[in-house]
């Protein structure tokens, strides 16, 4: 019925409102999250903010956080038995959706033989070989247990390898909660970082240069002054933790060149883009080889895994081969390695990324066309199977272009959709993920509800 209205472009407000209220009867909006609310109240007594990771506390959206209890394919269920189409996908790892059979089977097979030995296992070797065989610049790697740990280790390695201490990062890129990278830009084109968290000495932040994305001039200025003191530049080549800030390929190519010219290592933080923008991530997509790469999220098939790796010569500096110390009690955990191998094996199907990208593009472009037709200042930029619900039509390439006040609109969007069975990450700065379990009919269902949400927001209707 909603489609009908749009097809005939009947824009009379009263008619739209009338039909919307009919739609409301047809669309379930009676979601109650009583149980989640109670559990959250209890959890607040035991955990800071009631959570294990801050964004989960729903501080930027309406209502208590949702306690999920089950996932299957593209859908999740909460403790009140509400069902949602999930676009958060555990923040990215679940590229096959929830509980894909072959990953679940690999986990069960492995866990039945013991959960951890603290020795090398065949499972880590198999995952390592699979990665090495399919990612040309990944000559050697080390497994760790999270994306943060991978980044922290890669930074230490870059400093050890180059005997330099400064790091350059970009404003708007997130690299986990690594001390030297939890820094904001100061005021100015090229600045040393200002700690963005209490507990990080300014002397740490002072080792980190921060420059804007999408800005060759700022990079050049930074390199002209500090180029020979910089150990590494770290970038999310597809910045997807502060909106989706798609970079011009020329900018990334310039970055590669200037790093090479100054003997600075280029670290691609592909924790979110790795195995998402194709198997070889953003590096493969743009045809640019980093010196070091970090992975997380998808690499563990839903289990906690991270990895860093790169050229043989650089990785040769890692202990016990070299002087850069890095270790982990549960690193290369057999259950997690088996899960990662099962998940990544499915990604190697030649059609896998083509299909996923097409589904995502069709989904986003349909919504973009709708927003255009109605003049709503909204768009969904996308790459691979990542998209960003953005309350602007501008092409946004750096963090300062995001209008913070648009997050009020995201709040309404999030709540409207949560009430109708669509789960987005609880912040307007977060991207959405399409998994292989989100088939065309599921995306169609989501798309209709997203269009209704936009109608409500832009026609200032009650939520
Ligand atoms: C998620 C993410 C991290 C941090 O990974 P954790 O596993 O949460 O520690 C680092 N870098 C990027 C690009 C990420 O998306």
């Amino acid at each position: 019925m909603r489609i009908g209205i749009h097809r005939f472009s009947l824009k009379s407000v009263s008619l739209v409102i009338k039909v919307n209220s009919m739609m409301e009867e047809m669309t379930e909006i009676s979601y109650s999250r009583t149980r989640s609310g109670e559990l959250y109240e209890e959890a607040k007594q035991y955990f800071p903010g009631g959570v294990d990771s801050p964004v989960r506390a729903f501080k930027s959206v309406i209502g208590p956080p949702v306690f999920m209890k089950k996932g299957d394919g593209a859908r999740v269920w909460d403790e009140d038995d509400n069902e949602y189409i999930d676009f958060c996908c555990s923040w990215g790892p679940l590229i096959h959706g929830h509980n894909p059979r072959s990953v679940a089977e690999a986990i069960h097979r492995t866990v039945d033989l013991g959960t951890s030995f603290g020795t090398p296992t065949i499972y880590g070797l198999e995952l390592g070989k699979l990665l090495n065989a399919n990612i040309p610049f990944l000559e050697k790697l080390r497994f760790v247990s999270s994306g943060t740990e991978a980044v922290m280790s890669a930074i230490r390695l870059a400093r050890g390898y180059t005997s330099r201490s400064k790091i350059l990062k970009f404003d708007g890129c997130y690299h986990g909660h690594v001390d030297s990278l939890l820094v904001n830009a100061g005021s100015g084109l090229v600045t040393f970082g200002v700690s963005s968290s209490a507990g990080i000495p300014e002397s740490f932040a002072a080792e980190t240069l921060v420059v804007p994305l999408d800005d060759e001039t700022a990079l050049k200025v930074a390199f002209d002054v500090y180029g020979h003191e910089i150990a590494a530049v770290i970038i999310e080549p597809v910045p997807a933790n502060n909106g989706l800030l798609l970079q011009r390929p020329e900018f990334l190519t310039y970055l590669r060149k200037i790093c090479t010219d100054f003997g600075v290592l280029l670290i691609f933080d592909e924790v979110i883009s790795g195995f998402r923008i194709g198997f070889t991530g953003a590096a493969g997509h743009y045809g640019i080889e980093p010196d070091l790469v970090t992975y997380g999220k998808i690499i563990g098939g839903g289990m906690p895994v991270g990895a860093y790796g790169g050229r043989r010569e650089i990785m040769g500096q890692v202990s016990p081969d070299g002087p850069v110390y890095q270790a982990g009690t549960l690193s290369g955990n057999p259950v997690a390695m088996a899960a990662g191998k099962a998940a990544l094996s499915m990604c190697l199907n030649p059609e896998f990324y083509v299909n996923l990208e097409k589904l995502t593009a069709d989904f986003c472009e349909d919504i973009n066309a709708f927003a255009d037709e109605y003049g709503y200042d909204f768009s969904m930029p996308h790459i691979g199977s990542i998209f960003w619900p953005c309350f602007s039509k501008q092409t946004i390439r750096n963090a300062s272009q995001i209008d913070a006040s648009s997050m009020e609109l995201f709040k309404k969007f999030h709540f409207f959709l949560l009430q109708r069975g669509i789960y987005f990450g609880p912040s307007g700065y977060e991207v959405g993920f399409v998994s292989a379990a989100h088939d065309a009919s599921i995306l169609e269902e989501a798309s209709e509800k997203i269009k209704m949400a936009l109608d409500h927001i832009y026609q200032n209707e009650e939520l």
Side-chain angles (χ1 to χ4, degrees):
M1 181 162 311
R2 198 82 202 94
I3 297 173
I5 292 196
H6 295 132
R7 187 175 302 137
F8 300 115
S9 292
L10 299 178
K11 294 188 189 177
S12 147
V13 172
S14 63
L15 178 62
V16 171
I17 288 172
K18 205 155 106 206
V19 178
N20 274 348
S21 64
M22 283 160 63
M23 279 302 296
E24 229 123 84
E25 284 160 29
M26 295 166 49
T27 315
E28 198 165 342
I29 55 162
S30 58
Y31 274 37
S32 146
R33 278 177 288 276
T34 315
R35 185 81 189 116
S36 277
E38 289 165 1
L39 291 167
Y40 180 52
E41 286 309 310
E42 204 183 340
K44 281 197 280 192
Q45 298 173 35
Y46 301 99
F47 313 117
V51 292
D52 303 306
S53 195
V55 69
R56 296 184 198 174
F58 267 46
K59 295 292 185 201
S60 310
V61 293
I62 299 165
V66 184
F67 279 62
M68 294 297 180
K69 67 172 178 191
K70 190 178 89 171
D72 184 27
R75 297 181 196 267
V76 285
W77 286 264
D78 69 13
E79 291 288 348
D80 291 276
D81 291 319
N82 300 308
E83 178 181 325
Y84 307 84
I85 296 174
D86 183 16
F87 286 111
C88 178
C89 292
S90 189
W91 303 99
L94 306 182
I95 195 165
H96 305 292
H98 291 267
N99 224 4
R101 179 169 275 279
S102 74
V103 176
E105 282 174 2
I107 290 172
H108 287 140
R109 265 199 314 276
T110 321
V111 87
D112 282 348
L113 300 173
T115 53
S116 182
F117 308 107
T119 69
T121 68
I122 199 168
Y123 307 104
L125 180 59
E126 286 175 353
L127 181 55
K129 283 166 75 175
L130 183 148
L131 293 167
N132 176 276
N134 290 286
I135 303 175
F137 55 85
L138 197 65
E139 294 175 352
K140 276 198 174 178
L141 77 157
R142 161 111 0 129
F143 288 117
V144 292
S145 300
S146 72
T148 295
E149 212 187 335
V151 168
M152 191 180 76
S153 309
I155 295 282
R156 183 181 305 143
L157 172 57
R159 286 175 162 151
Y161 177 78
T162 59
S163 303
R164 299 174 180 180
S165 58
K166 297 204 185 320
I167 297 292
L168 184 146
K169 79 164 289 243
F170 294 92
D171 186 28
C173 285
Y174 175 68
H175 303 290
H177 64 92
V178 178
D179 277 350
S180 58
L181 297 173
L182 277 186
V183 298
N184 287 333
S187 52
L189 192 61
V190 177
T191 56
F192 284 103
V194 180
S195 304
S196 61
S197 162
I200 298 174
E202 287 304 336
S203 57
F204 287 20
E207 295 295 332
T208 306
L209 282 156
V210 186
V211 300
L213 285 160
D214 186 43
D215 189 339
E216 282 90 337
T217 307
L219 257 186
K220 182 161 187 328
V221 170
F223 271 75
D224 282 346
V225 181
Y226 300 107
H228 296 288
E229 296 170 54
I230 300 173
V233 170
I234 186 164
I235 186 170
E236 287 180 83
V238 172
N241 280 285
N242 190 61
L244 182 62
L245 306 174
L246 294 175
Q247 297 301 290
R248 288 173 294 112
E250 303 76 38
F251 175 71
L252 296 172
T253 305
Y254 180 78
L255 173 61
R256 173 66 278 183
K257 182 173 180 326
I258 202 167
C259 285
T260 306
D261 290 350
F262 281 81
V264 172
L265 298 187
L266 176 59
I267 304 174
F268 271 5
D269 180 358
E270 298 235 38
V271 171
I272 207 163
S273 53
F275 317 104
R276 175 63 70 179
I277 319 293
F279 199 91
T280 50
H285 178 83
Y286 293 111
I288 298 174
E289 287 203 358
D291 299 298
L292 288 172
V293 64
T294 55
Y295 295 119
K297 301 198 167 103
I298 293 175
I299 198 174
M303 300 290 280
V305 179
Y308 65 102
R311 296 213 316 267
R312 188 179 304 278
E313 174 207 358
I314 304 172
M315 291 304 289
Q317 296 296 303
V318 177
S319 59
D321 284 352
V324 177
Y325 187 73
Q326 187 274 310
T329 301
L330 289 167
S331 294
N333 173 268
V335 183
M337 295 287 106
K341 187 192 163 202
L344 294 188
S345 300
M346 284 195 276
C347 295
L348 286 171
N349 178 332
E351 295 297 300
F352 182 77
Y353 288 104
V354 180
N355 292 341
L356 202 49
E357 181 164 0
K358 172 145 189 359
L359 279 170
T360 310
D362 289 350
F363 170 63
C364 293
E365 290 309 325
D366 175 50
I367 291 167
N368 287 341
F370 171 86
D372 284 348
E373 184 184 351
Y374 283 84
Y376 298 155
D377 195 13
F378 177 86
S379 62
M380 296 228 291
H382 56 94
I383 182 170
S385 48
I386 302 181
F387 66 92
W388 179 37
C390 171
F391 285 84
S392 168
K393 282 193 193 299
Q394 304 294 322
T395 302
I396 296 183
R397 296 195 194 281
N398 77 49
S400 67
Q401 292 165 332
I402 300 178
D403 172 10
S405 69
S406 72
M407 295 302 156
E408 285 305 308
L409 299 177
F410 178 81
K411 237 183 204 180
K412 295 184 182 180
F413 179 81
H414 186 268
F415 185 70
F416 183 97
L417 290 170
L418 198 63
Q419 289 298 88
R420 288 158 182 84
I422 310 281
Y423 189 79
F424 275 102
S427 156
Y429 291 95
E430 301 292 347
V431 294
F433 300 95
V434 173
S435 83
H438 290 71
D439 62 23
S441 77
I442 291 173
L443 291 173
E444 170 77 32
E445 180 187 338
S447 161
E448 284 308 308
K449 291 180 180 172
I450 289 170
K451 291 171 185 174
M452 283 174 59
L454 295 175
D455 282 343
H456 274 246
I457 289 165
Y458 285 100
Q459 291 164 19
N460 281 320
E461 288 169 22
E462 302 245 320
L463 285 180

